[in-house]
Amino acid sequence: MDAVEVYVLCTSRSKMLADEFLNRYAAQRKPIASEYPYPEFVDEPEITYSTPDEVMTRLEQDSGQSYSIYWDCIGANGPEQVMLFYTRDGHMIAGLGGPRVSFDSALSDLSEIVKGDYGYVTSGSCPPETYEEFVSLSRNSTLPSVVNGKLRVDS
C-alpha cells in the first residue's frame, strides 16, 4: 500500500489544539529532529530549541513564521507519522501519514479533532504555506476532501 498523507487546516494555531491533536493520534511519539532552530531554514537562527513543545509555544505567539514539525508514532495502530505545519500567514495544518492511514475515515476524524473546515488527501507532498493555497487545494482535489466543513468523496 502506498503512503498516504491527510492534511486538515486547523481552526486555530494554538498549542492547546496542537497538543489535543498529538495526544489523539500519537500518544506515544518520538520527534524526528533533535533540535529546532528558530526561525526555520536560516543560516544563523536567533535561538535553537531542544524540544518541539518549546518551538510550538513560540509559534503560537509568532504567527508570521512558518515551520514544520514531524513525529514518528510508536505503536502498531494508527498513522506512522504525525505532522504540524505552521503557515507564514498565521494558520496551522495537522497531518497524518503512512500506509496505515485509512484516508476515507481519517479525513473526517481529523477534521473533527482540529475543528477544520478544509482538508485533503495526498501522496508525498507537503501542504502549502498559506491559507488561500490550502483552501484551493482542498476545493480542487480529485481525492476525498473537506470543503466548508463537509466531506466530499467524489469531485
Side-chain angles (χ1 to χ4, degrees):
M1 182 190 301
D2 289 336
V4 170
E5 285 141 16
V6 175
Y7 297 126
V8 173
L9 188 64
C10 301
T11 191
S12 77
R13 191 177 168 118
S14 76
K15 181 161 181 323
M16 187 170 84
L17 184 62
D19 286 338
E20 215 174 296
F21 156 71
L22 293 169
N23 292 331
R24 165 65 175 86
Y25 289 100
Q28 295 181 313
R29 59 190 176 270
K30 179 182 178 206
I32 301 280
S34 58
E35 17 179 72
Y36 300 86
Y38 193 87
E40 190 175 34
F41 304 124
V42 296
D43 291 335
E44 294 184 34
E46 71 181 60
I47 189 167
T48 299
Y49 295 106
S50 57
T51 69
D53 281 339
E54 293 171 314
V55 76
M56 289 163 56
T57 298
R58 175 72 182 266
L59 288 160
E60 180 179 27
Q61 300 162 0
D62 192 355
S63 65
Q65 288 293 326
S66 63
Y67 214 96
S68 304
I69 307 172
Y70 298 81
W71 293 263
D72 282 332
C73 300
I74 300 168
N77 298 326
E80 289 182 354
Q81 195 171 71
V82 291
M83 306 156 265
L84 284 173
F85 301 91
Y86 293 81
T87 66
R88 67 176 184 245
D89 61 353
H91 296 274
M92 184 173 71
I93 299 163
L96 307 172
R100 297 188 310 231
V101 172
S102 169
F103 63 80
D104 43 352
S105 61
L107 192 56
S108 292
D109 190 46
L110 180 56
S111 294
E112 187 176 316
I113 295 296
V114 300
K115 301 160 188 70
D117 286 336
Y118 294 94
Y120 65 93
V121 175
T122 187
S123 179
S125 63
C126 290
E129 287 193 29
T130 67
Y131 173 88
E132 292 299 327
E133 291 171 304
F134 191 94
V135 168
S136 178
L137 280 173
S138 298
R139 288 183 194 276
N140 296 311
S141 177
T142 57
L143 296 172
S145 62
V146 172
V147 175
N148 296 325
K150 300 203 183 326
L151 180 65
R152 294 183 343 176
V153 289
D154 16 318
S155 301

